[in-house]
Amino acid sequence: MLTLKRRYQFWYVLMGLHKIGARAIPGTHLLTDKDYEYRANVADAAAIIAVDEPEVIHHLNAAKDRMPTVRHYFSVGETKPEGFLDLDALIESAGR
């Protein structure tokens, strides 16, 4: 599940998901915790990649306990929210 607004990382993630045969679930940054919960549970989402904006992180943290299939949370941006992996750092450290 992707909430990346207009960040360039969206395209890296989309290509990577395509290569491994996974599907992307794009979502707007205006989703609430109930929206994240519904979408993640209906789709059995395994991971969420989101911008580091406080409002987005707040809604994701509020819904975490109600999304049992989501095992990984990644953030993109300057700040690194607690409980989220740094996607930019992971991309940088990946082998080419």
Side-chain angles (χ1 to χ4, degrees):
M1 197 164 164
L2 310 174
T3 306
L4 292 172
K5 292 180 84 171
R6 294 181 180 167
R7 306 285 176 100
Y8 69 88
Q9 292 91 340
F10 176 83
W11 299 106
Y12 294 162
V13 172
L14 205 59
M15 284 181 86
L17 291 172
H18 179 71
K19 281 185 168 192
I20 65 170
R23 293 189 183 115
I25 307 166
T28 176
H29 65 285
L30 301 173
L31 296 176
T32 66
D33 55 321
K34 290 180 182 179
D35 297 323
Y36 282 112
E37 175 188 358
Y38 174 77
R39 290 173 186 219
N41 290 336
V42 166
D44 290 330
I48 295 178
I49 305 171
V51 294
D52 64 346
E53 295 180 2
E55 192 74 16
V56 173
I57 300 303
H58 168 76
H59 288 298
L60 282 170
N61 282 331
K64 269 187 177 181
D65 293 337
R66 301 186 313 265
M67 299 185 295
T69 62
V70 179
R71 297 183 305 274
H72 306 286
Y73 293 86
F74 299 90
S75 74
V76 170
E78 297 293 320
T79 62
K80 304 304 168 225
E82 187 176 335
F84 285 73
L85 297 169
D86 181 356
L87 184 69
D88 294 324
L90 291 169
I91 289 172
E92 277 297 315
S93 68
R96 298 186 190 263

